[in-house]
């Protein structure tokens, strides 16, 4: 049906990336939650449309490589900053895992107010190799405190059972949903106003921001609690948590993430990491890149010698950094 063009619009998952899927004339690709797909995956899809295919990437937290491509002018950028008028900023707190009793008291208070809770764990089953809190262990712990009011959801849950659990949570048959990061995207429960993230120091900035976005979708005040074990925070983990507490602007958080993780490989497939630049750094000298892009876009023909000299002088204003050899 795609090759004969009987279907003009199709909504799909990543299964569309497969080589055997062919189109008669693919003209527009919209990739939602762009940060969930690899560079190679996105290229495989865009190749199906050829040079005349437009690509729109959507994300609340773009990966460092994508953000840098907007600086280079390889991508046009459009930001929607407005939120629904009734939404309030999500209050974000950090808490030691040893203070679990304080959190339980807080949850009991929220449930009495009619609010629901997400409790996110990094792994499904307890592991002897890594000291992370498992979803199953936390589910069992919370069920003893809140009998028949706790549900469990993870990647091994089959689709029928998953739909049943989510529908029951929506109907408020459960007060607490314990899960892995499976709820990171595509979940919208306006009555869920508290999210607790276990071992928060083990998650990346983008993932923490996405998880936090599962609450505060109604008109009530929402709260995000980042749990961590004592003496488990690295220097970068402290930076990530500090950044998250300072803002709920996904693009600002992505820029700070870019500083921590590096830019990635613009002509390859690496989505983060540091690269060497001989004239200017695309983040530290962002204003120069924007000026250069604006100047080049105003040119009708190829650069002449005078224009080329201007660009060279422009980049001479930047320090030479990240250079292995000159």
């Amino acid at each position: 049906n795609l090759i004969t063009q009987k279907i003009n619009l199709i909504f799909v998952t990543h299964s569309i990336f497969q080589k055997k899927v062919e189109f008669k004339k693919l003209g527009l690709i919209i990739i939602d939650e762009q940060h969930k797909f690899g560079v190679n995956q996105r290229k495989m899809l865009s190749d199906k449309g050829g040079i005349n295919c437009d690509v729109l990437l959507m994300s609340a937290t773009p990966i460092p490589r994508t953000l840098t491509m907007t600086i280079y002018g390889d991508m046009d950028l459009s930001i929607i900053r407005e939120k629904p008028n009734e939404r309030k900023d999500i209050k974000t707190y950090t808490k030691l895992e040893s203070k679990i009793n304080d959190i339980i008291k807080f949850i009991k208070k929220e449930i009495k107010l009619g609010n629901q809770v997400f409790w996110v764990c990094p792994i499904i089953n307890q592991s002897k190799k890594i000291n992370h809190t498992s979803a199953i262990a936390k589910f069992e712990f919370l069920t003893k405190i809140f009998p028949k009011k706790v549900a469990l959801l993870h990647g091994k849950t089959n689709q029928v059972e998953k739909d049943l659990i989510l529908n029951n949570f929506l109907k408020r048959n459960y007060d607490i949903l314990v899960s892995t990061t499976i709820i990171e995207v595509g979940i919208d429960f306006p009555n869920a106003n508290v999210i607790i993230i276990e071992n928060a120091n083990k998650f990346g900035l983008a993932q923490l921001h996405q998880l936090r976005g599962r609450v505060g979708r109604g008109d009530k005040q929402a709260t995000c609690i980042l749990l961590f074990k004592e003496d488990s925070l690295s220097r970068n983990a402290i930076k990530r948590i500090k950044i998250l507490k300072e803002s709920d602007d996904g693009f600002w958080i992505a820029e700070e993430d870019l500083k921590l993780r590096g830019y990635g490989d613009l002509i390859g497939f690496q989505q983060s990491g540091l690269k060497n630049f001989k004239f200017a750094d695309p983040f530290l000298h962002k204003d120069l890149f924007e000026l250069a892009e604006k100047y080049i876009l105003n040119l009708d023909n190829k650069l002449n010698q005078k224009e080329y000299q201007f660009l060279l002088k422009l980049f001479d204003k930047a320090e030479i950094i990240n250079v292995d050899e000159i």
Side-chain angles (χ1 to χ4, degrees):
N1 286 336
L2 289 173
I3 197 69
T4 59
Q5 212 170 347
K6 290 182 179 178
I7 295 176
N8 293 319
L9 179 65
I10 183 169
F11 293 85
V12 291
T13 61
H14 59 278
S15 59
I16 200 71
F17 296 140
Q18 297 177 55
K19 289 183 179 179
K20 63 182 180 181
V21 179
E22 295 181 16
F23 296 83
K24 182 176 181 180
K25 189 178 181 182
L26 181 59
L28 174 63
I29 300 167
I30 300 175
I31 300 179
D32 196 11
E33 305 294 354
Q34 172 260 350
H35 58 277
K36 301 295 288 183
F37 300 98
V39 179
N40 202 20
Q41 286 182 312
R42 298 197 303 270
K43 186 177 183 300
M44 286 172 64
L45 182 57
S46 62
D47 285 348
K48 296 177 187 292
I51 60 173
N52 292 320
C53 181
D54 294 321
V55 180
L56 173 62
L57 305 178
M58 300 173 66
S59 175
T61 48
I63 57 176
R65 180 182 184 273
T66 303
L67 203 60
T68 310
M69 289 179 79
T70 66
I71 296 171
Y72 272 103
D74 294 327
M75 276 183 162
D76 292 326
L77 179 65
S78 179
I79 302 177
I80 302 173
R81 297 191 184 276
E82 296 81 9
K83 296 179 182 178
N85 291 330
E86 69 275 7
R87 283 199 186 180
K88 297 178 175 66
D89 291 339
I90 302 167
K91 292 182 178 179
T92 305
Y93 303 101
T94 52
K95 204 80 174 174
L96 280 172
E97 194 178 84
S98 57
K99 302 291 184 180
I100 188 73
N101 290 335
D102 294 342
I103 295 169
I104 296 299
K105 287 179 184 177
F106 176 73
I107 287 176
K108 286 180 178 178
K109 181 182 175 183
E110 289 294 315
I111 289 173
K112 281 184 179 179
L113 292 172
N115 297 327
Q116 291 175 288
V117 180
F118 287 120
W119 197 303
V120 180
C121 301
I123 56 176
I124 300 173
N125 295 295
Q126 209 66 39
S127 171
K128 293 180 180 179
K129 295 181 180 179
I130 51 176
N131 189 23
H132 290 355
T133 304
S134 77
I136 291 175
K138 190 57 64 177
F139 168 74
E140 292 171 350
F141 170 79
L142 291 171
T143 299
K144 292 175 183 177
I145 303 171
F146 304 94
K148 298 181 181 180
K149 289 297 181 180
V150 187
L152 175 64
L153 186 67
H154 51 69
K156 292 183 180 179
T157 309
N158 66 57
Q159 191 60 46
V160 174
E161 191 177 354
K162 178 184 175 183
D163 291 341
L164 182 62
I165 291 168
L166 291 176
N167 282 329
N168 278 323
F169 190 63
L170 183 64
K171 294 175 183 177
R172 301 173 70 173
N173 293 330
Y174 300 113
D175 291 323
I176 304 172
L177 179 62
V178 179
S179 76
T180 56
T181 56
I182 191 172
I183 65 158
E184 183 182 341
V185 294
I187 301 293
D188 186 10
F189 294 97
N191 198 56
N193 290 301
V194 179
I195 184 165
I196 294 155
I197 305 173
E198 297 260 11
N199 306 112
N201 53 299
K202 297 300 179 183
F203 294 99
L205 260 176
Q207 197 165 36
L208 287 172
H209 180 65
Q210 289 284 345
L211 287 169
R212 180 173 61 177
R214 297 312 96 201
V215 296
R217 304 176 83 85
D219 57 359
K220 294 182 180 180
Q221 178 64 58
T223 305
C224 172
I225 300 175
L226 307 174
L227 274 181
F228 57 91
K229 298 180 185 297
E230 211 158 357
D231 301 324
S232 65
L233 292 180
S234 65
R235 186 177 297 177
N236 269 351
I238 293 171
K239 287 180 181 177
R240 287 198 300 271
I241 290 173
K242 185 174 181 289
I243 290 165
L244 198 72
K245 290 174 75 173
E246 284 182 8
S247 175
D248 64 351
D249 184 331
F251 268 68
W252 182 83
I253 290 172
E255 285 187 357
E256 296 302 306
D257 193 23
L258 187 152
K259 291 179 186 177
L260 291 175
R261 294 170 58 197
Y263 316 103
D265 190 353
L266 299 183
I267 59 174
F269 300 113
Q270 190 176 336
Q271 305 208 91
S272 62
L274 293 172
K275 294 295 166 185
N276 295 327
F277 295 91
K278 296 200 173 182
F279 289 107
D281 182 290
F283 190 81
L284 297 176
H285 306 109
K286 184 179 177 181
D287 55 336
L288 297 181
F289 276 78
E290 290 174 348
L291 182 58
E293 179 192 354
K294 183 179 179 181
Y295 189 80
I296 291 172
L297 289 176
N298 287 333
L299 299 176
D300 294 325
N301 304 308
K302 292 182 179 179
L303 290 176
N304 58 39
Q305 187 64 24
K306 182 179 178 182
E307 291 155 348
Y308 177 68
Q309 290 298 323
F310 166 80
L311 290 177
L312 279 183
K313 288 179 180 179
L314 175 66
F315 282 103
D316 279 342
K317 294 179 182 179
E319 296 177 10
I320 298 178
I321 62 173
N322 294 336
V323 178
D324 288 332
E325 56 181 36
I326 298 176

